Amino acid sequence: MTDYGEEQRNELEALESIYPDSFTVLSENPPSFTITVTSEAGENDETVQTTLKFTYSEKYPDEAPLYEIFSQENLEDNDVSDILKLLALQAEENLGMVMIFTLVTAVQEKLNEIVDQIKTRREEEKKQKEKEAEEAEKQLFHGTPVTIENFLSWKAKFDAELLEIKKKRMKEEEQAGKNKLSGKQLFETDHNLDTSDIQFLEDAGNNVEVDESLFQEMDDLELEDDDDDPDYNPADPESDLTD
């Protein structure tokens, strides 16, 4: 007959020796305890961690122990789910043998894989961002390659915009034509227009300045009086030529 209590006590002593800093007893009846498992340090010294809680069943190790994720750090929900599935598989494969060390070791390896996956995922994200930045830079300097499809799309948009501009211009010109008054309409609108030219001339005449220095005084001019010439005959044009 198997002494389950003895096997359980022996395993507890061994676990306390293997995990002195992470093994904690929660209760003695039924035997319940936790073991904290931490991954190896990843990029930037980042780690993932989980604390596993185990409780012996009455017939352990012929029956699987009860287990759960007591706490965790930096794990996604899918990571927690994967760890629980791993524990179920390992417990089934190791029935009949004390198995806590085996279960904890399997979880330790799983956490290391998760850290590696985080590192790989971050490297891929970095490469993707660098690729997107490179593509954006190429796009900035080289523009979009012209194809028949995008050219036709651009032309249709350009023609539509040009048509709208023409319509707007025609409408503005039509409106400007309606608002333009004829000469008759201008005079009918403003009665001062018929006297504006006359007033302008009068104002200009009043402001005309004459430079008198341009003219000599009549007294300074030496004029010959034809009446003093005895031979002058007004009726004879040649009389002036005889002198």
Side-chain angles (χ1 to χ4, degrees), residues 7 61-63 94-99:
E7 289 194 35
D62 287 340
E63 294 177 352
N94 289 277
L95 285 176
M97 300 178 291
V98 290
M99 63 180 77

Side-chain angles (χ1 to χ4, degrees), residues 27-220:
S27 68
E28 294 182 357
N29 188 22
S32 180
F33 54 92
T34 61
I35 298 176
T36 299
V37 188
T38 305
S39 71
E40 296 176 355
E43 188 177 12
N44 301 322
D45 294 329
E46 184 179 36
T47 61
V48 292
Q49 178 178 288
T50 182
T51 298
L52 305 174
K53 178 183 177 181
F54 296 99
T55 302
Y56 287 150
S57 59
E58 184 178 353
K59 295 182 179 182
Y60 173 83
D62 287 340
E63 294 177 352
L66 302 177
Y67 52 83
E68 63 179 274
I69 303 294
F70 193 71
S71 64
Q72 59 89 9
E73 292 182 9
N74 302 324
L75 291 175
E76 302 290 341
D77 291 341
N78 61 307
D79 295 330
V80 173
S81 178
D82 289 343
I83 291 172
L84 291 174
K85 290 178 182 178
L86 176 63
L87 288 171
L89 178 63
Q90 291 295 319
E92 184 177 355
E93 290 178 355
N94 289 277
L95 285 176
M97 300 178 291
V98 290
M99 63 180 77
I100 301 300
F101 176 78
T102 301
L103 299 182
V104 172
T105 300
V107 171
Q108 175 78 61
E109 293 174 354
K110 181 63 177 178
L111 294 182
N112 292 339
E113 289 178 8
I114 292 172
V115 168
D116 291 338
Q117 290 171 1
I118 292 174
K119 180 181 178 180
T120 301
R121 184 167 62 248
R122 287 183 175 175
E123 289 177 350
E124 290 176 352
E125 291 175 352
K126 182 179 179 181
K127 289 180 180 179
Q128 182 64 25
K129 289 181 179 180
E130 291 176 350
K131 183 178 179 181
E132 291 175 356
E134 184 178 351
E135 291 295 330
E137 185 175 0
K138 288 181 179 179
Q139 190 79 6
L140 179 63
F141 287 99
H142 299 289
T144 303
V146 178
T147 63
I148 295 177
E149 290 78 8
N150 60 29
F151 172 76
L152 292 177
S153 175
W154 170 84
K155 188 175 185 303
K157 183 179 179 181
F158 175 79
D159 291 343
E161 292 177 352
L162 186 61
L163 181 61
E164 287 298 322
I165 292 174
K166 288 181 177 179
K167 288 181 178 179
K168 182 178 180 181
R169 185 175 299 172
M170 291 175 63
K171 186 176 181 180
E172 290 175 351
E173 291 177 353
E174 181 181 355
Q175 187 65 32
K178 290 180 179 179
N179 294 335
K180 185 176 181 180
L181 299 178
S182 65
K184 181 180 179 181
Q185 290 173 325
L186 286 172
F187 277 106
E188 291 175 349
T189 302
D190 189 353
H191 296 290
N192 293 325
L193 293 175
D194 56 351
T195 60
S196 60
D197 290 344
I198 298 174
Q199 185 65 40
F200 172 76
L201 293 174
E202 290 178 352
D203 293 342
N206 294 332
N207 294 326
V208 172
E209 295 182 359
V210 177
D211 188 356
E212 297 180 358
S213 65
L214 297 177
F215 300 93
Q216 293 181 345
E217 295 183 1
M218 296 298 294
D219 295 340
D220 295 335

